[in-house]
């Protein structure tokens, strides 16, 4: 690295450090706000003072919540986009292990291995405990303060008994606490958001947080609804269930929101979700009704507290919608003997992604609604013009796809839409002396991209890469052909020898190599279609900057439009009393303007970047068009080669195959030498738990379990 590059990197690191400090200050302040929110000091002093000073004819009471709750999160998201953009200028050769022991090393290892929460690290457990403590603190404070106002004189005047008055206060408090959970519910599912990468998280790895929060939301809101129904029934006000007040809370909208949520919630439990995934998938779209009626249920001033996360989700969801409208170009498919497909897409050279990234795929001829995530096995640097995913024929959707492509009379063109890629913003998990990757069955696919990343770094930059030990378990010897995918199509036998790779393969259901396992691997080439385009980043190479521009510009336009609507339409009717103009209609106007602003700015950004993508697509198509076609009919068949039960000859020296046994993970991991050993696992639940338990046992200080999720 020359002095100029070193100076630029140092300047960039300083700027990023300053940004990180600002982000931490804002986030700490945001958390402190939630802590003081239930107190009388905030409710009776701070909030009224803020509303007096911020109240205007343009925003009314909504202005205070926009400034205090909405703005900080969007500020973090926008500044985070710039921070992540600057972080992309990292050196590919940064694989050196950091042997210094830091305070978080122990906390990153699993603390909980078995149970309903799954595998939970010490950091995750600490944050979960703090969040639950916040909920308990908020609920107890709300109840204590509200119960203190219930006196015998008050209940005598209202004609209520004391327990009835407490029931009403408890119902309101449960709703307020449920709103805390709802505030954070959508952050984990905003796949392309900048907030998760700031914490070193991916959307895939954060799905469990969404599940936890979802259960909390529905538990609190269900209790909220039931308490109100009991209160109305006890006080002979059951007709309140049919009330849709104009300038008050709408009970009917709240009930409809709760019913939609309950319909969604019932299918999310593990047994139902696994046995009837399609039912779970389709009923999950009830979140649209849940959110619509929730926003109509309460005032928009209160909704602004939880809206930031939903706002970022809407931005991400609309960008995904725009990307999914484009059909992508499928180059070829490799059909392996073990009922596995490798689908190769044409890729824009400007699209880059990190190892273990995920691509969502939709095949309209199978289902127009179903999207399935698959780990990308290709390397964006090693294979600049191609993106590959591996699909095992297991579920109903993948079986239909396998049958479609492997049958003799199949199609010559495959229509596919994609969303993504989505993946980690950094590859810190590669910075160990040794990498031990434990896989079971199709769980080997995430590690293919890791090995190809190491091959690229070793061959291109001559970097010192970690030693790699790949432990893979397969049911049958035909599954060993998946090891051939470790080599890219463009690779040569010598590329795999550029890294220190040792493969321990276990065939559990066969005691010896199968002599009848001689099968053909076929590479099938598809015809190109003029409307198909290479897989490309929806916002181009500078996607983080474009995302920040969309978030900031859409919010500014929203403030301008809603300010004008409030000043010249709502204010002349209501005069900021919030007692005349309909709550529901005000919420409807706000959400309509938000959706329009997001659609306008996101569409403009995508259209601007699409011009460049079209030029690249034409160049790629011209190159592909110059490739001679050998297809007399519907498809091109590459030279079919025979595959025995062992992988390609270039991998044989690195591979030890064990028949009729399972890996002794404890012995293998404890035998690993080195000061820092990163352990990654992808496979059945029992394998993940066993590996996590070994790493967290404390018997080996050099084992570091990397909490990278490979399961949606």
């Amino acid at each position: 690295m020359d002095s100029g590059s070193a100076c630029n990197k140092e300047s960039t690191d300083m700027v990023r450090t300053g940004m990180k400090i600002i982000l931490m200050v804002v986030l700490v302040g945001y958390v402190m706000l939630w802590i003081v929110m239930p107190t009388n000091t905030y409710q009776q002093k701070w909030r009224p003072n803020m509303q007096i000073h911020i109240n205007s004819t343009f925003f009314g009471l909504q202005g205070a919540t926009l400034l205090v709750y909405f703005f900080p999160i969007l500020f973090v998201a926008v500044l985070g986009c710039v921070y992540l953009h600057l972080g992309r200028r990292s050196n590919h050769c940064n694989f050196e292990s950091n042997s210094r022991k830091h305070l978080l090393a122990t906390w990153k290892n699993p603390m909980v291995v078995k149970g309903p929460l799954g595998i939970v690290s010490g950091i995750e457990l600490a944050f979960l405990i703090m969040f639950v403590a916040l909920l308990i603190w908020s609920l107890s404070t709300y109840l204590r303060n509200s119960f203190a106002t219930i006196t015998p004189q008050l209940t005598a005047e209202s004609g209520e008994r004391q327990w009835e008055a407490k029931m009403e206060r408890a119902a309101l408090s449960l709703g307020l606490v449920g709103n805390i959970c709802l505030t954070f519910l959508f952050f984990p599912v905003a796949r392309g958001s900048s907030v998760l990468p700031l914490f070193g998280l991916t959307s895939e790895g954060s799905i469990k947080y969404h599940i936890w929060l979802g259960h909390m939301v529905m538990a609190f809101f269900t209790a909220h609804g039931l308490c109100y129904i009991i209160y109305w029934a006890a006080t002979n006000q059951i007709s309140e269930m049919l009330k849709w007040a104009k300038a008050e809370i709408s009970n009917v909208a709240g009930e409809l929101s709760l019913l939609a949520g309950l319909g969604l919630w019932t299918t999310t439990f593990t047994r139902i979700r696994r046995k009837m995934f399609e039912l779970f998938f389709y009923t999950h779209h009830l979140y649209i009704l849940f959110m619509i009626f929730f926003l109509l249920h309460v005032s928009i001033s209160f909704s602004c507290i939880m809206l930031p996360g939903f706002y970022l989700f809407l931005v991400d969801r609309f960008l995904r919608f725009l990307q999914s409208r484009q059909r992508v170009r499928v180059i070829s498919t490799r059909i392996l003997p073990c009922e596995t497909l490798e689908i190769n897409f044409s890729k824009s050279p400007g699209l880059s992604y990190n190892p273990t990234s995920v691509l969502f795929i939709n095949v309209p001829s199978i289902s127009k609604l179903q999207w399935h995530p698959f780990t990308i096995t290709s390397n964006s640097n090693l294979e600049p013009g191609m993106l590959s995913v591996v699909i095992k024929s297991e579920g109903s959707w993948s079986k239909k796809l396998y049958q479609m492509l492997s049958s003799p009379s199949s199609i010559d063109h495959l229509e596919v839409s994609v969303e993504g890629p989505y993946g980690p913003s950094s590859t810190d998990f590669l910075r160990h002396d040794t990498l031990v990757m434990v896989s079971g069955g199709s769980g080997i696919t995430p590690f293919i991209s890791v090995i190809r990343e190491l091959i690229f770094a070793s061959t291109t930059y001559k970097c010192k890469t970690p030693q790699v030990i790949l432990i893979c378990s397969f049911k049958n010897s035909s599954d060993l052909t998946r090891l051939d995918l470790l080599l890219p199509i463009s690779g040569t036998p010598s590329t795999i020898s550029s890294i220190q790779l040792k493969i321990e393969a276990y065939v559990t259901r066969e005691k010896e190599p199968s002599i009848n396992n001689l099968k053909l691997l076929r590479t099938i080439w598809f015809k190109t279609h003029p409307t198909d385009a290479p897989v490309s980043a929806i916002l181009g190479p500078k996607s983080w900057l474009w995302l920040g521009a969309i978030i900031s510009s859409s919010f500014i336009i929203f403030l301008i439009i809603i300010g004008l609507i409030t000043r010249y339409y709502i204010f002349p009717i209501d005069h900021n009393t919030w007692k005349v103009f309909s709550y529901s209609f005000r919420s409807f106007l706000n959400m309509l303007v938000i959706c329009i602003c997001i659609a306008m700015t996101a569409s403009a950004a995508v259209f601007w970047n699409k011009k460049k993508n079209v030029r690249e697509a034409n160049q790629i198509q011209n190159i592909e068009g110059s490739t001679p076609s050998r297809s007399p009919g519907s498809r091109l068949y590459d030279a079919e080669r025979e595959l025995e039960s062992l992988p390609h000859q270039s991998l044989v020296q690195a591979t030890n195959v064990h028949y009729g046994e399972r890996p002794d993970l404890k012995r293998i991991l404890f035998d690993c030498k080195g000061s820092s050993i990163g352990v990654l696992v992808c496979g059945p639940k029992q394998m993940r738990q066993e590996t996590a338990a070994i790493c967290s046992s404390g018997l080996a200080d050099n084992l570091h379990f990397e909490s990278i999720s490979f399961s949606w």
Side-chain angles (χ1 to χ4, degrees):
M1 183 183 293
D2 57 35
S3 59
S5 299
C7 184
N8 289 334
K9 187 178 186 301
E10 187 175 333
S11 300
T12 302
D13 290 342
M14 288 179 63
V15 172
R16 293 187 82 217
T17 302
M19 289 181 176
K20 188 182 291 186
I21 293 171
I22 295 172
L23 290 169
M24 288 178 63
V25 171
V26 174
L27 288 172
V28 169
Y30 184 73
V31 171
M32 293 301 297
L33 184 65
W34 281 104
I35 295 174
V36 301
M37 187 178 174
T39 63
N40 284 332
T41 302
Y42 175 83
Q43 297 290 339
Q44 298 174 9
K45 295 180 181 179
W46 294 0
R47 189 177 70 171
N49 285 335
M50 281 191 297
Q51 290 173 343
I52 290 171
H53 289 91
I54 301 174
N55 193 7
S56 69
T57 56
F58 287 94
F59 298 106
L61 299 177
Q62 184 181 351
T65 47
L66 281 172
L67 178 64
V68 175
Y69 292 97
F70 215 119
F71 176 75
I73 294 300
L74 295 196
F75 175 79
V76 168
V78 173
L79 189 61
C81 288
V82 180
Y83 177 85
L84 293 169
H85 173 74
L86 295 176
R88 280 184 168 177
R89 301 176 184 178
S90 58
N91 188 357
H92 286 288
C93 220
N94 196 4
F95 287 94
E96 286 79 11
S97 173
N98 182 8
S99 59
R100 292 180 303 169
K101 291 199 171 184
H102 49 83
L103 294 175
L104 295 179
T106 304
W107 289 85
K108 286 184 177 181
N109 273 333
M111 290 287 183
V112 178
V113 175
K114 296 182 179 179
L117 298 179
I119 299 173
V120 182
S121 70
I123 295 176
E124 290 172 330
L125 188 62
F127 274 97
L128 178 61
I129 292 172
M130 286 190 287
F131 186 75
V132 172
L134 173 64
L135 298 182
I136 295 172
W137 154 256
S138 300
L139 182 60
S140 61
T141 305
Y142 280 129
L143 290 175
R144 185 178 67 253
N145 293 340
S146 60
F147 285 179
T149 63
I150 301 174
T151 61
Q153 294 81 4
L154 181 66
T155 53
E157 290 175 4
S158 61
E160 297 176 339
R161 287 170 285 186
Q162 234 180 16
W163 76 266
E164 293 170 345
K166 288 183 177 181
M167 179 66 74
E168 183 190 23
R169 304 294 199 283
L172 177 60
S173 300
L174 288 166
L176 293 173
V177 176
N179 192 61
I180 300 175
C181 303
L182 185 61
T183 301
F184 298 95
L185 180 65
F186 289 94
F187 285 108
V189 288
R191 298 174 192 163
S193 170
S194 60
V195 176
L196 292 178
L198 290 176
F199 295 92
L201 301 172
T202 63
S203 180
E204 184 177 7
S206 304
I207 287 297
K208 59 183 176 184
Y209 311 143
H210 176 71
I211 295 172
W212 299 349
L213 290 166
H215 287 311
M216 292 179 189
V217 166
M218 289 313 305
F220 280 114
F221 282 171
T222 302
H224 165 74
L226 289 175
C227 286
Y228 264 116
I229 292 173
I230 294 171
Y231 168 74
W232 290 329
T235 56
N236 298 317
Q237 301 180 69
I238 202 67
S239 60
E240 287 286 320
M241 292 186 66
L242 304 177
K243 184 179 178 181
W244 193 309
K246 182 179 180 181
E248 295 179 32
I249 299 297
S250 170
N251 296 333
V252 173
E255 291 151 12
L256 292 173
S257 176
L258 181 58
L259 287 174
L262 289 172
L264 183 156
W265 193 25
T266 53
T267 61
T268 60
F269 294 95
T270 306
R271 289 186 179 180
I272 299 175
R273 188 177 72 246
R274 288 180 177 173
K275 290 183 179 180
M276 297 178 284
F277 178 80
E278 291 189 8
L279 177 65
F280 158 78
F281 177 82
Y282 292 120
T283 55
H284 226 65
H285 289 84
L286 287 172
Y287 83 89
I288 300 172
L289 294 178
F290 172 79
M291 287 304 302
I292 289 174
F293 286 113
F294 173 83
L295 294 168
L296 297 177
H297 171 55
V298 297
S299 68
I300 190 63
S301 177
F302 179 77
S303 298
C304 285
I305 296 174
M306 57 69 54
L307 269 181
F310 189 59
Y311 189 95
L312 296 177
F313 170 78
L314 288 178
V315 172
D316 177 73
R317 188 65 190 88
F318 188 73
L319 288 173
R320 284 160 45 197
F321 168 77
L322 294 177
Q323 186 182 21
S324 66
R325 297 304 93 194
Q326 175 67 59
R327 296 285 187 263
V328 295
R329 188 173 302 147
V330 182
I331 301 174
S332 63
T333 296
R334 287 204 286 180
I335 303 175
L336 275 67
C338 52
E339 295 189 347
T340 299
L341 302 170
E342 182 192 53
I343 301 182
N344 303 302
F345 300 93
S346 175
K347 181 183 82 70
S348 169
L351 174 63
S352 62
Y353 47 85
N354 281 324
T356 71
S357 293
V358 170
L359 188 75
F360 280 75
I361 294 177
N362 170 262
V363 181
S365 57
I366 298 177
S367 173
K368 292 182 179 180
L369 296 177
Q370 289 190 39
W371 290 80
H372 294 266
F374 297 98
T375 308
I376 299 173
T377 56
S378 56
N379 181 274
S380 58
N381 298 305
L382 203 61
E383 301 148 288
M386 188 172 67
L387 183 150
S388 305
V389 298
V390 173
I391 301 174
K392 170 66 175 174
S393 177
E394 289 179 327
S396 59
W397 185 90
S398 56
K399 284 180 179 178
K400 290 177 183 177
L401 180 63
Y402 181 81
Q403 291 168 2
M404 179 193 303
L405 297 178
S406 62
S407 62
S409 59
S410 118
I411 54 177
D412 63 346
H413 175 257
L414 184 63
E415 282 194 359
V416 178
S417 297
V418 301
E419 291 179 0
Y422 307 105
S425 59
S426 66
T427 54
D428 289 340
F429 58 88
L430 294 175
R431 295 169 188 170
H432 294 280
D433 297 326
T434 303
L435 271 182
V436 180
M437 300 185 290
V438 184
S439 70
S442 57
I444 192 176
T445 52
F447 303 138
I448 296 174
S449 62
V450 175
I451 291 174
R452 291 189 186 183
E453 175 73 9
L454 296 175
I455 292 174
F456 168 75
S458 178
T459 56
T460 306
Y461 293 101
K462 307 302 179 184
C463 292
K464 180 186 176 183
T465 56
Q467 179 188 359
V468 178
I469 301 175
L470 176 61
I471 304 167
C472 44
S473 296
F474 302 112
K475 292 180 180 178
N476 305 301
S477 53
S478 63
D479 293 328
L480 289 169
T481 55
R482 292 184 200 170
L483 295 176
D484 271 9
L485 300 177
L486 294 175
L487 276 175
I489 292 178
S490 58
T492 61
S494 61
T495 55
I496 200 71
S497 61
S498 63
I499 62 173
Q500 304 175 66
L501 175 64
K502 181 182 179 182
I503 303 173
E504 299 289 342
Y506 293 81
V507 180
T508 58
R509 293 188 179 180
E510 293 179 8
K511 299 244 175 134
E512 57 186 15
S514 174
I515 60 174
N516 296 321
N517 196 39
L518 193 64
K519 293 189 178 181
L520 298 176
L521 179 146
R522 294 184 298 168
T523 300
I524 303 170
W525 298 80
F526 293 101
K527 290 181 178 179
T528 60
H529 195 278
T531 59
D532 292 344
V535 179
S536 58
I538 186 68
L539 295 175
K542 298 180 179 179
S543 56
W544 285 124
L545 292 182
W546 278 105
L547 179 61
I550 291 170
I551 295 170
S552 55
S553 60
S554 62
F555 184 60
I556 291 170
I557 296 172
F558 161 72
L559 291 178
I560 294 172
I561 295 176
I562 206 65
L564 293 174
I565 291 175
T566 304
R567 175 64 184 86
Y568 296 105
Y569 176 55
I570 298 177
F571 180 76
I573 299 173
D574 191 82
H575 298 287
N576 275 354
T577 62
W578 288 75
K579 294 181 179 179
V580 180
F581 199 85
S582 170
Y583 276 20
S584 299
F585 190 50
R586 192 191 292 256
S587 297
F588 169 76
L589 288 174
N590 274 264
M591 285 310 302
L592 180 63
V593 173
I594 284 176
C595 292
I596 290 173
C597 293
I598 290 174
M600 285 171 47
T601 53
S603 298
V606 170
F607 178 74
W608 184 273
N609 282 278
K610 194 173 183 180
K611 293 179 181 178
K612 185 177 181 181
N613 291 339
V614 168
R615 287 197 297 269
E616 287 187 356
N618 291 334
Q619 293 173 1
I620 294 171
Q621 191 168 10
N622 291 335
I623 295 171
E624 291 174 352
S626 63
T627 304
S629 173
R630 292 176 290 139
S631 174
S634 62
R635 299 185 291 182
L636 281 173
Y637 287 84
D638 198 8
E640 296 180 350
R641 64 181 180 83
E642 294 182 345
L643 288 177
E644 299 182 3
S645 59
L646 288 176
H648 192 273
Q649 189 65 31
S650 61
L651 294 172
V652 170
Q653 293 181 352
T655 305
N656 294 323
V657 182
H658 309 266
Y659 290 92
E661 59 179 299
R662 298 181 183 276
D664 185 350
L665 295 177
K666 194 171 185 179
R667 177 187 59 79
I668 295 172
L669 291 176
F670 286 166
D671 286 347
C672 292
K673 306 300 181 183
S675 60
S676 178
I677 299 172
V679 182
L680 289 78
V681 60
C682 182
K685 182 179 179 181
Q686 185 177 354
M687 175 180 282
R688 298 197 307 269
Q689 290 179 341
E690 181 184 357
T691 307
I694 294 170
C695 294
S696 61
S697 64
L699 299 177
D701 295 335
N702 59 348
L703 296 179
H704 302 285
F705 186 85
E706 294 290 349
S707 54
I708 301 174
S709 173
F710 302 112
S711 177
W712 284 86

